Amino acid sequence: MTTFRLPIFLPTVLNLNLRVNVTMVILAMGALGLPAKHALSQTGQAEAKVDSPPAFSLHDGQHDFDFNIGVWHTHICRILDPLSGSTHSIELNGTVTVRKVWGGRAQLEEIEADGPKGHWEGLTLFLYNPQSRQWSQSFIDSKIAELGSPLIGSFQDGRGELFAQDTFHGKSVLIRGVWSNIVPDSHHFEESLSNDGGKTWAPAFIGELTRETQPATTAPGSNTTTEEGQHDFDFDFGTWKTHSSRLLHPLTGSQTWADMDGITVVKKVWDGRANSAEYKADGPAGHVELMALRWFNPTTHEWNLDFATPQVGTLGIPGVGVFKNGRADFYDYEPINGRSVLVRFSIWSITANTAQSEQAFSADGGKTWEVNWINKYNRIGEE
């Protein structure tokens, strides 16, 4: 469980220590409706790290968060200005629902609580990095709907500590999330801030969680208010046969393309304000699996796209866009092979059972675009 913080975006490093074929990763990203730029921009870093084994044996922590699965009652104490020494706080009570996704390599947590300032909801994605053997925790607030900086860390002796750098009242601070007192039916979560490099920590958010013995009376994220654009991705729910064609060397004049085929499963999350997509594919380069998270910002009425690979246990920088006339164009600005270029990803529904998406790069500020990714989807089953 986590709280909401002022967002700051951190770059994701694609650490492919096992010589995963970069072309294979790039192809799969497009099939998910996600930019492939991160794999392209990190190719050199991946090769440089292949022959650098870890200096010591690390604890395999893939199951360290298994205690978190289930439905919990939560009592929350939020200290409003923790670094001032003030103890002024507000208290909330609510429900936390956590389930495994992506074959157990990730968890989705949906939080809703009520307090003196009204109703509050949050969505958390926990991801495990098998290379560093660390977990990341990325959080989205239902009102702001911007991705905060991920907390990253690990468990030792039954206690989990994850850290991040962020801002509080305009100043840089360290953030620490701690899971402790873990027993089958309860645990304690505390998020603290430090403005002295970790010498001292001021609690900012404290959650006491007790396992629910009765089914929740309402589904997590059962929001009764529907914002314009919130259901634009509904056409994508279900299981899709996916064929992807990728231009292997974009912005070089090359016309060498590669294909792969797979399955994409898209599920509704957070009462439709978000959705997850899980992708498996095979091609000449081998087997690929990816996960995507897409979420709606009710303030800007925009959608965000982000992804994770099994080799990278954090989300990247999201693409942002809106749907118009059934088509969404998501934009981002990223380094590709050492050059900063605009990235456009587009997705649209052709019929009730077919859809298509494309990715394109622009090296001239959007004057011209080169399509480098074409994905065709055919529905093969009911949601």
Side-chain angles (χ1 to χ4, degrees):
M1 180 179 174
T2 188
T3 182
F4 45 95
R5 302 183 297 273
L6 296 177
I8 180 171
F9 298 119
L10 302 179
T12 298
V13 177
L14 186 61
N15 183 8
L16 303 179
N17 290 324
L18 299 180
R19 282 193 182 273
V20 174
N21 185 285
V22 174
T23 298
M24 179 175 68
V25 175
I26 293 171
L27 279 167
M29 289 178 184
L32 263 178
L34 298 165
K37 54 190 179 295
H38 300 281
L40 282 166
S41 63
Q42 300 296 339
T43 303
Q45 295 182 32
E47 292 299 318
K49 295 182 180 180
V50 166
D51 298 320
S52 301
F56 55 90
S57 178
L58 297 174
H59 164 67
D60 182 359
Q62 182 173 349
H63 297 285
D64 282 340
F65 263 113
D66 283 2
F67 73 90
N68 205 27
I69 303 300
V71 180
W72 306 83
H73 170 76
T74 182
H75 176 77
I76 298 168
C77 176
R78 181 168 180 254
I79 294 85
L80 299 181
D81 194 4
L83 294 175
S84 70
S86 169
T87 59
H88 183 51
S89 64
I90 59 173
E91 296 189 1
L92 304 91
N93 287 281
T95 302
V96 178
T97 303
V98 187
R99 64 184 184 276
K100 287 186 179 182
V101 294
W102 203 20
R105 285 168 296 194
Q107 295 181 9
L108 272 173
E109 175 188 72
E110 298 177 58
I111 312 165
E112 57 177 333
D114 292 282
K117 294 188 177 182
H119 190 68
W120 169 71
E121 298 185 24
L123 179 69
T124 310
L125 178 65
F126 295 90
L127 288 164
Y128 182 66
N129 184 330
Q131 306 301 320
S132 65
R133 301 188 180 182
Q134 292 179 307
W135 282 89
S136 74
Q137 177 201 39
S138 299
F139 177 77
I140 303 166
D141 183 286
S142 61
K143 293 182 174 61
I144 303 174
E146 294 180 353
L147 188 67
S149 55
L151 294 170
I152 300 175
S154 58
F155 279 74
Q156 185 174 3
D157 299 326
R159 174 186 171 96
E161 292 192 356
L162 278 64
F163 298 87
Q165 181 180 3
D166 213 323
T167 57
F168 183 76
H169 292 339
K171 294 184 178 180
S172 180
V173 297
L174 296 179
I175 300 174
R176 181 184 67 185
V178 176
W179 288 259
S180 63
N181 301 334
I182 300 169
V183 295
D185 292 325
S186 65
H187 59 273
H188 175 91
F189 173 77
E190 185 169 314
E191 187 169 276
S192 303
L193 308 182
S194 175
N195 58 4
D196 58 9
K199 295 178 182 178
T200 60
W201 293 92
F205 185 98
I206 301 169
E208 300 290 348
L209 294 99
T210 305
R211 190 179 299 277
E212 294 278 13
T213 57
Q214 298 294 329
T217 56
T218 58
S222 54
N223 179 36
T224 57
T225 302
T226 299
E227 299 286 347
E228 181 182 357
Q230 182 176 317
H231 293 286
D232 285 338
F233 254 116
D234 285 6
F235 76 92
D236 207 24
F237 299 155
T239 303
W240 303 83
K241 180 180 179 181
T242 308
H243 178 78
S244 302
S245 298
R246 168 69 187 175
L247 182 63
L248 296 183
H249 306 289
L251 302 179
T252 65
S254 171
Q255 291 300 311
T256 302
W257 291 74
D259 295 339
M260 70 186 321
D261 292 282
I263 301 296
T264 303
V265 180
V266 182
K267 296 182 179 180
K268 180 168 65 173
V269 176
W270 220 12
D271 198 38
R273 287 167 294 172
N275 59 78
S276 65
E278 298 181 23
Y279 174 80
K280 296 181 180 181
D282 292 277
H287 181 73
V288 177
E289 295 188 38
L290 293 167
M291 179 185 176
L293 183 67
R294 295 92 75 98
W295 68 92
F296 180 69
N297 187 323
T299 302
T300 63
H301 297 276
E302 295 173 316
W303 278 91
N304 297 261
L305 284 171
D306 216 332
F307 73 95
T309 71
Q311 296 78 25
V312 180
T314 59
L315 293 173
I317 300 174
V320 181
V322 297
F323 279 84
K324 292 182 179 180
N325 300 319
R327 173 190 172 104
D329 294 299
F330 300 87
Y331 294 93
D332 198 359
Y333 190 60
E334 288 287 337
I336 306 296
N337 286 338
R339 300 175 61 193
S340 292
V341 303
L342 288 176
V343 178
R344 181 187 69 200
F345 192 87
S346 306
I347 185 169
W348 62 94
S349 175
I350 298 174
T351 69
N353 296 311
T354 60
Q356 185 166 326
S357 63
E358 292 181 353
Q359 180 179 264
F361 293 161
S362 175
D364 57 11
K367 295 178 181 177
T368 61
W369 293 89
E370 179 186 71
V371 175
N372 56 63
W373 203 293
I374 301 172
N375 310 289
K376 296 182 179 180
Y377 310 91
N378 288 276
R379 192 183 300 276
I380 61 174
E382 296 297 326
E383 181 186 355

